[in-house]
Amino acid sequence: LVTPSRWRSNSSGNMRMTKDEAEQALRIDVTFSPTVDKWVYPYFDLRRYETINGATSLDFEICVIEPKEDYKGCREGNAFVNGFIKYPPPKIANLWQKVSIDLTQKDLSKIATFQLGLNPYNLQIAFLMKNIHFNGTPQAPQLDPVIVTDTPGNVFFQGDKPVLPMTTAAKGL
């Protein structure tokens, strides 16, 4: 979950995501305009057939990298997993903080994306997140029955039988 290409930018500033190889962490750098409400909440989109259904908690570690100007802290930290869930944001730069977010009261059966982030006070911030993982026992997602293909259009040759994957098991199979 620290691969930058799996995350989608979402911030009120200019945001860049890279991988910090030394820390094996996702690095997020953001520069804000002085006139905006400052927030950084990148999306992690689950791939087809990935699920967090059955998760009981979301755990990760976060560390703010000391900015050029004094670190002023963050107004709040949030995870968005079927609604915002607050967590205590880092108060001290260059110090790893472990975060555990309780998901036992959340309906995760149809979740396709989640977000982790901060509302910093500084105009520039860089932070790392690592060891991002869900705890619990995975359960098959409750998907609406559909017939799908992996191509934008289908061509069948005369005599070929089409193969159509389904998201739910057919009765009796």
Side-chain angles (χ1 to χ4, degrees):
L1 297 176
V2 297
T3 305
S5 62
R6 290 294 311 268
W7 293 84
R8 213 169 7 113
S9 292
N10 184 42
S11 170
S12 62
N14 184 13
M15 180 177 170
R16 187 180 66 143
M17 291 181 286
T18 57
K19 184 172 181 182
D20 184 305
E21 293 294 341
E23 291 286 351
Q24 289 298 297
L26 177 68
R27 179 181 171 129
I28 299 173
D29 293 86
V30 185
T31 302
F32 300 98
S33 163
T35 60
V36 301
D37 178 30
K38 294 175 277 306
W39 52 267
V40 185
Y41 289 95
Y43 290 95
F44 186 93
D45 295 316
L46 298 172
R47 292 181 178 147
R48 189 186 320 172
Y49 306 116
E50 288 181 330
T51 184
I52 61 171
N53 193 32
T56 55
S57 67
L58 166 58
D59 295 349
F60 64 98
E61 294 177 59
I62 187 167
C63 177
V64 172
I65 297 169
E66 185 72 46
K68 292 177 184 173
E69 58 186 60
D70 288 336
Y71 177 54
K72 298 173 184 161
C74 297
R75 187 176 70 222
E76 61 188 16
N78 286 288
F80 187 87
V81 186
N82 197 8
F84 278 105
I85 307 166
K86 290 184 186 290
Y87 68 85
K91 293 181 180 177
I92 301 170
N94 298 328
L95 181 67
W96 283 101
Q97 171 182 317
K98 291 184 179 186
V99 177
S100 184
I101 296 170
D102 180 27
L103 298 175
T104 57
Q105 302 302 310
K106 294 286 184 178
D107 177 8
L108 305 175
S109 61
K110 295 188 179 189
I111 298 298
T113 188
F114 68 91
Q115 296 168 260
L116 295 173
L118 303 166
N119 293 70
Y121 290 118
N122 291 67
L123 291 177
Q124 291 185 328
I125 191 166
F127 63 98
L128 304 170
M129 293 189 295
K130 68 179 182 180
N131 298 324
I132 305 166
H133 64 277
F134 288 88
N135 298 302
T137 304
Q139 299 173 8
Q142 297 174 6
L143 299 174
D144 295 327
V146 295
I147 297 176
V148 298
T149 65
D150 290 328
T151 58
N154 292 310
V155 176
F156 298 106
F157 294 101
Q158 187 173 356
D160 285 349
K161 293 181 182 177
V163 176
L164 303 171
M166 296 175 49
T167 61
T168 59
K171 190 174 184 175
L173 293 181

